[in-house]
Amino acid sequence: MSHQSTHPHHTWVQSHHPVHLETKSPPHKEPMFYYFAYGSCMCPVDLKRSLGENTHPYIIGPGVLKGYRLGFYLYLPSRKCGVLDIVKDPKASVKGVLYQLPLRLSEYLDQREGVSQNLYRHESVEIHSHSRVYQDVRTYVVVNKSEEEVAPNDWYFNVVLRGAVTCGLPEEYCWHLFNHMHKLQQRHQEQKFRRSA
C-alpha cells in the first residue's frame, strides 16, 4: 500500500518489512486457544503491551468472520474514545487477525477487554483463514452497546490501521477501515463545532 493519507494526523504507509505470517498453526506444547482480533489487538506490538510477551510467534494469519460487521459502539474512558465492536449482520463480514495464544494469557486478555467490568464478553465464532475453518475461536463483543457509533481518537485510529496493514489484511479492507474511522472523526468534529457555535 503505497498510499499515504492526506489526513493531517494519520500516517499510513505500507510496511516494507511486513511480519512473517505462519501458514499453519505452529507447534506448541502448552494448552492453547484461538483468538480473533479485529481492533487494536490486530497490532501485535500493542497486544504485547497487555500480555507481557512478544505475540508475533502466535499469529496464524489474516482471518475472516462471516455474518458480522464492525462498529464503534463503546466509549472507553481509559482510551477516551470510541472503540471497535462487532454486530451480527448476515450480509457482512469482518476481517482481522487470527492468533493461537497460550491459555496462560487468557486472563490478561480478559483484563485488557474489561470482561470483569462488563465492557466486553466472550463470543465463540468460526474464522476462515488460509483455506481452513477454525472452530471455537474466541473473540470479544461489547455488552452494552451505544445507540450511535462513537469516534475513535487518533491514537486508536493509528493502532488499528497499523495492525491491519502489518498483518496483511487486504488493501481494500484497510481503506474501508480508514474511511469509516475518518468519517466518524469528521462527524465528531462537526458536532463539537455546532455545540460551540
Side-chain angles (χ1 to χ4, degrees), residues 19 56 97 115 120 128 150 179 196:
V19 64
H56 282 88
V97 177
V115 172
Y120 285 88
H128 299 253
V150 183
N179 288 327
S196 63

Side-chain angles (χ1 to χ4, degrees), residues 177-193:
L177 259 180
F178 177 92
N179 288 327
H180 188 106
M181 293 190 288
H182 185 49
K183 284 176 182 175
L184 285 176
Q185 287 190 332
Q186 284 182 314
R187 189 185 73 184
H188 177 68
Q189 289 300 322
E190 288 165 4
Q191 288 171 344
K192 275 177 66 176
F193 178 76

Side-chain angles (χ1 to χ4, degrees), residues 142-158:
V142 169
V143 176
N144 298 308
K145 301 178 190 298
S146 58
E147 290 184 10
E148 285 192 354
E149 289 189 88
V150 183
N153 61 20
D154 288 344
W155 178 86
Y156 190 84
F157 190 122
N158 286 319

Side-chain angles (χ1 to χ4, degrees), residues 20-71:
H20 174 70
L21 301 177
E22 297 289 337
T23 55
K24 60 182 179 180
S25 303
H28 295 290
K29 294 179 181 176
E30 60 183 312
M32 308 291 286
F33 69 100
Y34 291 115
Y35 165 56
F36 178 69
Y38 55 83
S40 60
C41 289
M42 289 192 294
C43 177
V45 175
D46 194 59
L47 188 56
K48 176 184 177 180
R49 186 176 53 82
S50 300
L51 302 188
E53 65 181 81
N54 185 12
T55 55
H56 282 88
Y58 303 126
I59 296 172
I60 292 173
V64 180
L65 170 61
K66 297 180 179 180
Y68 288 79
R69 61 179 167 81
L70 286 176

